[in-house]
Amino acid sequence: MKINMTINEQPTIVEATPDERLSVLLRKLKYFSIKSGCNTGFCGECSILLDGKVISSCIIPVAAARNSKIITLEYFIKTEYGEDIKKAFTECDVTLCGYCDAQKYFAIYELLQEHPRPTREISYKTVSSFSCHCIDSESMINVINKTASLMRSRTRGLKYGQK
Amino acid sequence: MPPKKTKTKNEFLANSSSYYSDMYDDQMYYAAIIRSPIDKGTIRSIVCNDIDENSRLITYKDIPGINKINFLSVEMPILAFQNISYIGEPIAIVLSPDQETAHYLAMNADIRYTQSFEEEKTSAVNNDMIMAHRVVKYGDSDTAFDTSELKIEQTFDFKLQTSDTCIEDTGAFVVPKKDSLEIYCPTNWPANVKQCISKATNIIPQNIYLQRTKTQDCSTIRLLLTTQLVCQAAIAALMTNKAVKIVLSKNEQNNFVYNPLRTRIRFRSSTNTTGVITAMNISISMNAGVFNPFVSEILDRLVIAAIGIYNPQNFLIEATALKSQASPSNADFRRLDVHIFAALESHMQSIAPLAGVTPLELRIKNITSPCADRPFMIEISKAITVLEAVAKTSDFNRKYASYYIHSQDQLKWCDSDKLLDPLRGIGLASAFNGNYYYGSVLDFSKQTIELMIDIDGTITIFSDPVSSSIKQIWTKIASKILNVDEKLIHFSQPERADDNENVSNTLFGNVGIMTSLLKKACTAIQKQRFRQPLPIKIKRVATISKKNNWDENDFTGNPFYDTSFGAAVMEIELDPFTFKESIRGVWIAIDAGEILDAIHAEQTIRRSVERVLSSLSENELTSDNIKIVFADSNENPKNIHNIVDNIIPAAYLSAITQAVRKPITLLPLSSNTTYKTGFTQKISGENQE
């Protein structure tokens, strides 16, 4: 079956069975930021943005993504938000394992969309749900705070640290 | 054609292209395993009914070389057909250009077989079932029991998950070349993989290029299964002359990789009226599955850790590993003794109220009690300091006494079914973490590090992959000694000249030895850099000899190259309605020699605590209140990663036990088990499962 979707701003027609997992299809299309984690939607290692919402692509059938806009980490990392998060990871001296990148990048993005100035409790609630323990919670909270700060500075048109 | 790693897409983040599962070739096959439906017997035929011209079936008949993998003392077939050993043993592989199709064909294969039935199944253990056995005796514990008034007996059942479940599935990627093979797999023992492939494919080891990809865990079963999977993929690649990727499905991962070691540990102890343990009898039973090349090492490590750092006046440790018609069980190399510490420390906590002392007092008394001529000895110089530090920072004694009184009061409420207050408990645990066990079946006798300074001033450290925190520590050390900018220091894997190399260093906590070697190499480079033309390459080797240290047969001496020590306190609260536990705090004190980078060390410990907590309960266990202290020391740095694995489960069990007022002897726990154990009936560890 031919299915229309927009992947990373590129209109695409994919050949797939309707009940195929979206994560499997995207990996076939060589978007390897989507990892095969738990396949139950729990771990978030296959996270993508589907029409602007963070979802686990392993529990979405391809048919449900028809005519949708999909953003994978490969594209997201080049956006302003992605760059802010990446910069925050670098500045906080935190290196991810490479398997949970999508989970952590999109979780931070989702959190900061909802809470641009997250409290420690809100941040902790997000990071404590991470299934991959390659980074400790305190370091992740630091990254979230740094990202929030970078995003606020950017949206105000100021460089980070500039008053 | 070499495998594509799609640099533009994959290398956008650190580590993101380090996984074999992200490698591909345009004309590749996916392999799926057909598994035996019987646990004993012979496979007569395998037919894939829905197979098309694009797919292929490969059986033992297609193996050009020897259908056997030699892994230490264990021999196992690459694809079995006779003498099936367990349900799920690989018997064939199906290849298809599509991964789902390959798995579908494998699942729906028509398998004809002749099943063997055992004539008589008895529950009694016979000699054929014993894979390993060890008895260590000190003094006369039976006589001490008879004369003692205070006695306690507990049986623990553990089935702890060894690693995170959301990690890369086990597998490999193989690319055939003209007369050679390129292998990409997450193995910790490349030399063994090469040898096995060579025997199976008749390709000489020199023509097998093996690239280690990122490994996320160091479990025994991964080491074994990766070798088997690589051999299967290599045979398929040779047969088809196409690249082959073999990846276990989620079901296979659950059944054959996340198959935790099951242990039953029985403690029987007696104490005198002051709290000194007069006798301790420990019986350890372990289900090792159908084969396990590491069974003797696991068993010996359990025996060594069975009395911890305590000095009971008499003890008897009897450990047995049993064979069963089940797939090999799994243990993590870096925490082989986690089960025994969980049982021992929980048992110590149960002894304390009997003897009328606090858990801290009990431990100190039994660490300091004299014990000459013990067969094996673990010397921890700062054990009492560490225990006192963790008790002080957590206010352990006060909380323990309060919760003890509180639980006595609650007994009355419980009887009248009016339990409204949260149930609280606090647990103390201590454990050592032995690094480089001299009796290991794996050879790690030579530890090597290479350092090179190039013409442009860049420094390259050649070592097996290490964690990011160790990288940062080493970068700082090299930068300081050589007086260069940290940005000029890079890491690379060593070039292996011979195929008889040791097993990977990453399987062991070798930070102490390697850091010491790095310092030596930096000093040597610093001496030469202004006298000799660049580039200069320096190699430093440490040889670890077990001579004079450890007698494996008599089980005497010092079993480890170095030992770190830690203690933890965990405070827990149980919801009186749902019996869900929440952690009020975790306090940890560690003696791990000199701490080179306190911030990263703390992050490492915190990360380990979070990982271990996630494996202890079916409920989500997290803690936002983790306090860590390190003992001051000038000794060489020691491994701190795995100490947490040994202390946290024990502290958790002890805390839950105090909260529900009855011994909890099962891990992992669920709310249902906690409720049943504490408030309905007394059930044994066996029945709880």
Side-chain angles (χ1 to χ4, degrees):
Chain A
M1 179 182 176
K2 285 190 167 64
I3 298 171
N4 290 316
M5 51 180 74
T6 305
I7 305 175
N8 295 340
E9 306 292 353
Q10 295 290 320
T12 312
I13 300 169
V14 294
E15 180 74 42
T17 50
D19 60 346
E20 189 173 354
R21 290 170 194 267
L22 186 55
S23 59
V24 173
L25 173 78
L26 291 171
R27 280 186 66 84
K28 276 183 192 168
L29 296 173
K30 315 285 186 275
Y31 294 106
F32 291 122
S33 69
I34 293 132
K35 305 288 183 187
S36 169
C38 62
N39 272 6
T40 56
F42 164 73
C43 73
E45 283 164 4
C46 57
S47 293
I48 56 164
L49 283 178
L50 184 71
D51 292 330
K53 284 187 179 153
V54 178
I55 56 114
S56 294
S57 57
C58 66
I59 49 167
I60 300 286
V62 173
R66 195 163 65 111
N67 298 328
S68 296
K69 284 184 179 176
I70 291 169
I71 300 288
T72 69
L73 188 63
E74 281 89 347
Y75 184 85
F76 180 78
I77 202 92
K78 294 171 193 161
T79 65
E80 287 174 330
Y81 291 113
E83 279 178 358
D84 285 343
I85 301 172
K86 190 176 178 183
K87 194 175 175 190
F89 271 109
T90 311
E91 290 190 8
C92 293
D93 203 10
V94 170
T95 312
L96 296 173
C97 66
Y99 212 73
C100 61
D101 292 359
Q103 175 205 27
K104 292 194 167 124
Y105 270 73
F106 286 124
I108 294 173
Y109 169 75
E110 191 178 34
L111 172 73
L112 295 179
Q113 288 295 301
E114 208 170 323
H115 304 280
R117 287 176 181 271
T119 61
R120 196 180 183 285
E121 286 68 36
I122 291 171
S123 298
Y124 182 74
K125 200 177 170 190
T126 299
V127 302
S128 63
S129 66
F130 291 160
S131 55
C132 178
H133 299 286
C134 65
I135 302 297
D136 67 293
S137 298
E138 282 302 316
S139 302
M140 276 309 300
I141 290 171
N142 289 342
V143 172
I144 290 171
N145 291 340
K146 176 68 81 179
T147 312
S149 170
L150 289 170
M151 281 183 179
R152 284 198 302 271
S153 305
R154 180 172 50 75
T155 48
R156 272 196 250 124
L158 299 171
K159 284 184 182 173
Y160 174 66
Q162 190 180 340
K163 290 185 179 176
Chain B
M1 186 197 283
K4 294 174 184 173
K5 287 200 241 173
T6 56
K7 284 193 175 184
T8 50
K9 278 183 181 172
N10 278 344
E11 292 186 358
F12 60 98
L13 289 169
N15 296 326
S16 63
S17 62
S18 315
Y19 294 96
Y20 84 88
S21 55
D22 293 346
M23 294 172 176
Y24 72 97
D25 193 272
D26 290 331
Q27 299 293 316
M28 66 183 271
Y29 273 126
Y30 286 93
I33 299 170
I34 299 176
R35 295 181 178 275
S36 163
I38 52 172
D39 65 350
K40 215 168 187 185
T42 304
I43 302 298
R44 286 191 282 120
S45 72
I46 303 162
V47 178
C48 283
N49 295 320
D50 301 332
I51 203 161
D52 58 16
E53 68 275 10
N54 292 325
S55 305
R56 289 193 68 164
L57 176 72
I58 291 176
T59 64
Y60 73 94
K61 291 174 191 165
D62 300 311
I63 299 173
I66 303 166
N67 181 18
K68 198 165 44 178
I69 290 169
N70 289 308
F71 199 95
L72 299 168
S73 58
V74 165
E75 279 186 357
M76 61 178 190
I78 297 168
L79 294 169
F81 65 105
Q82 281 179 329
N83 301 325
I84 296 296
S85 306
Y86 61 94
I87 291 177
E89 190 170 16
I91 53 174
I93 47 177
V94 191
L95 304 178
S96 171
D98 181 68
Q99 191 170 7
E100 281 69 43
T101 309
H103 281 290
Y104 172 81
L105 290 171
M107 288 290 291
N108 293 290
D110 183 11
I111 304 163
R112 303 284 165 94
Y113 53 82
T114 306
Q115 189 167 10
S116 307
F117 293 97
E118 285 179 28
E119 286 180 1
E120 194 180 332
K121 279 196 174 179
T122 57
S123 57
V125 175
N126 60 47
N127 283 341
D128 295 342
M129 287 170 70
I130 296 173
M131 288 172 91
H133 186 63
R134 175 77 68 185
V135 178
V136 180
K137 194 176 179 184
Y138 174 71
D140 184 0
S141 54
D142 289 337
T143 311
F145 270 118
D146 293 340
T147 55
S148 179
E149 288 179 5
L150 300 173
K151 295 171 194 173
I152 183 168
E153 190 173 327
Q154 284 180 302
T155 304
F156 297 86
D157 285 278
F158 296 134
K159 195 175 75 176
L160 274 173
Q161 192 65 260
T162 53
S163 60
D164 291 337
T165 49
C166 299
I167 55 175
E168 187 185 38
D169 298 327
T170 313
F173 183 57
V174 179
V175 185
K177 299 270 175 169
K178 192 186 174 189
D179 304 327
S180 67
L181 284 172
E182 279 183 11
I183 316 277
Y184 299 85
C185 65
T187 182
N188 273 306
W189 199 1
N192 181 263
V193 172
K194 271 189 181 184
Q195 281 170 9
C196 291
I197 294 172
S198 175
K199 284 177 186 168
T201 59
N202 292 332
I203 293 175
I204 57 170
Q206 288 77 5
N207 287 346
I208 299 169
Y209 167 76
L210 193 146
Q211 175 70 50
R212 281 179 63 190
T213 57
K214 197 168 165 65
T215 317
Q216 285 175 295
D217 76 3
C218 296
S219 61
T220 55
I221 200 71
R222 276 224 177 201
L223 200 58
L224 191 65
L225 281 188
T226 301
T227 307
Q228 193 183 36
L229 289 170
V230 173
C231 288
Q232 290 162 354
I235 291 157
L238 276 183
M239 287 282 300
T240 57
N241 206 26
K242 280 185 181 178
V244 172
K245 189 191 279 186
I246 190 163
V247 187
L248 292 190
S249 68
K250 293 295 169 196
N251 271 344
E252 290 174 315
Q253 283 284 125
N254 287 334
N255 294 333
F256 304 107
V257 181
Y258 307 136
N259 180 22
L261 193 70
R262 290 157 193 247
T263 52
R264 169 162 291 187
I265 300 164
R266 182 168 161 260
F267 275 91
R268 192 166 154 242
S269 304
S270 65
T271 70
N272 64 20
T273 48
T274 62
V276 173
I277 297 170
T278 52
M280 199 176 240
N281 276 10
I282 305 155
S283 160
I284 303 166
S285 170
M286 176 177 116
N287 182 348
V290 66
F291 43 66
N292 192 325
F294 307 98
V295 67
S296 59
E297 181 172 347
I298 296 171
L299 202 73
D300 286 352
R301 289 286 297 269
L302 291 174
V303 170
I304 290 167
I307 53 167
I309 55 160
Y310 307 116
N311 296 324
Q313 290 170 354
N314 305 278
F315 65 81
L316 172 68
I317 309 168
E318 193 167 1
T320 311
L322 298 172
K323 187 178 180 175
S324 67
Q325 292 294 116
S327 61
S329 51
N330 195 9
D332 194 308
F333 277 106
R334 296 169 298 184
R335 35 186 179 266
L336 293 178
D337 30 25
V338 54
H339 295 90
I340 194 77
F341 280 119
L344 170 68
E345 291 298 306
S346 186
H347 181 65
M348 291 295 281
Q349 186 102 345
S350 303
I351 293 174
L354 271 187
V357 293
T358 68
L360 179 65
E361 267 181 282
L362 180 83
R363 284 174 170 88
I364 292 172
K365 275 185 181 174
N366 285 289
I367 290 169
T368 50
S369 62
C371 183
D373 309 326
R374 229 179 80 171
F376 57 90
M377 190 63 86
I378 312 292
E379 285 182 13
I380 311 284
S381 56
K382 290 186 178 162
I384 294 172
T385 315
V386 168
L387 274 165
E388 284 176 341
V390 78
K392 193 178 172 188
T393 50
S394 62
D395 199 7
F396 175 78
N397 282 338
R398 183 189 64 78
K399 287 177 181 171
Y400 177 80
S402 305
Y403 296 158
Y404 183 75
I405 292 169
H406 187 230
S407 68
Q408 298 300 314
D409 289 345
Q410 278 192 327
L411 276 173
K412 300 164 197 169
W413 290 105
C414 184
D415 290 342
S416 59
D417 201 20
K418 288 179 182 172
L419 187 70
L420 295 173
D421 294 345
L423 304 155
R424 287 181 185 167
I426 191 162
L428 169 69
S430 65
F432 61 78
N433 182 49
N435 300 315
Y436 290 109
Y437 171 49
Y438 289 122
S440 177
V441 290
L442 294 170
D443 179 18
F444 53 80
S445 55
K446 274 188 183 174
Q447 300 292 311
T448 310
I449 203 163
E450 285 176 83
L451 200 65
M452 189 177 81
I453 182 164
D454 220 326
I455 302 165
D456 58 0
T458 55
I459 309 284
T460 309
I461 299 170
F462 296 91
S463 84
D464 281 322
V466 290
S467 67
S468 57
S469 54
I470 301 292
K471 269 186 185 175
Q472 278 159 341
I473 290 167
W474 286 1
T475 304
K476 280 181 184 172
I477 290 173
S479 161
K480 196 175 169 187
I481 298 175
L482 298 169
N483 197 21
V484 293
D485 194 296
E486 288 183 14
K487 287 176 186 166
L488 293 174
I489 298 167
H490 306 288
F491 285 79
S492 180
Q493 286 193 40
E495 293 165 16
R496 305 288 191 190
D498 60 275
D499 283 320
N500 296 319
E501 68 195 64
N502 286 353
V503 68
S504 167
N505 290 338
T506 48
L507 281 182
F508 309 96
N510 63 340
V511 61
I513 300 170
M514 296 302 280
T515 306
S516 153
L517 284 181
L518 177 74
K519 284 179 181 171
K520 284 180 187 170
C522 287
T523 311
I525 287 241
Q526 184 66 356
K527 281 180 185 169
Q528 293 178 25
R529 67 191 289 196
F530 301 113
R531 294 176 190 165
Q532 285 184 22
L534 298 178
I536 304 169
K537 198 170 186 180
I538 294 281
K539 185 177 181 180
R540 286 290 175 267
V541 182
T543 307
I544 301 165
S545 167
K546 72 173 179 181
K547 253 185 186 178
N548 306 326
N549 286 315
W550 179 242
D551 187 328
E552 207 178 318
N553 296 322
D554 292 348
F555 227 61
T556 52
N558 183 2
F560 300 112
Y561 176 81
D562 66 27
T563 316
S564 44
F565 180 77
V569 167
M570 192 187 288
E571 192 183 348
I572 270 179
E573 183 174 293
L574 281 175
D575 185 298
F577 302 107
T578 62
F579 283 84
K580 273 186 87 171
E581 61 275 62
S582 60
I583 297 171
R584 289 168 59 85
V586 180
W587 295 264
I588 291 172
I590 286 177
D591 170 27
E594 187 186 359
I595 300 294
L596 297 166
D597 185 335
I599 293 172
H600 279 107
E602 204 174 310
Q603 284 174 356
T604 303
I605 298 291
R606 217 174 270 281
R607 198 169 63 228
S608 300
V609 172
E610 287 165 4
R611 177 178 48 75
V612 175
L613 285 179
S614 68
S615 70
L616 296 177
S617 173
E618 287 176 10
N619 299 320
E620 197 175 290
L621 272 190
T622 55
S623 176
D624 194 16
N625 181 23
I626 302 171
K627 302 278 186 311
I628 300 155
V629 288
F630 294 105
D632 288 335
S633 176
N634 292 323
E635 290 176 28
N636 275 335
K638 296 164 191 170
N639 180 33
I640 57 169
H641 281 75
N642 311 321
I643 193 80
V644 170
D645 291 272
N646 290 344
I647 51 181
I648 291 294
Y652 170 75
L653 269 188
S654 300
I656 290 271
T657 295
Q658 194 186 32
V660 300
R661 307 175 307 274
K662 282 180 188 165
I664 298 275
T665 56
L666 182 78
L667 279 179
L669 264 180
S670 66
S671 299
N672 200 27
T673 313
T674 312
Y675 172 70
K676 278 184 180 172
T677 310
F679 299 95
T680 54
Q681 55 190 333
K682 193 180 178 186
I683 48 177
S684 70
E686 186 180 16
N687 294 336
Q688 287 174 59
E689 199 173 354

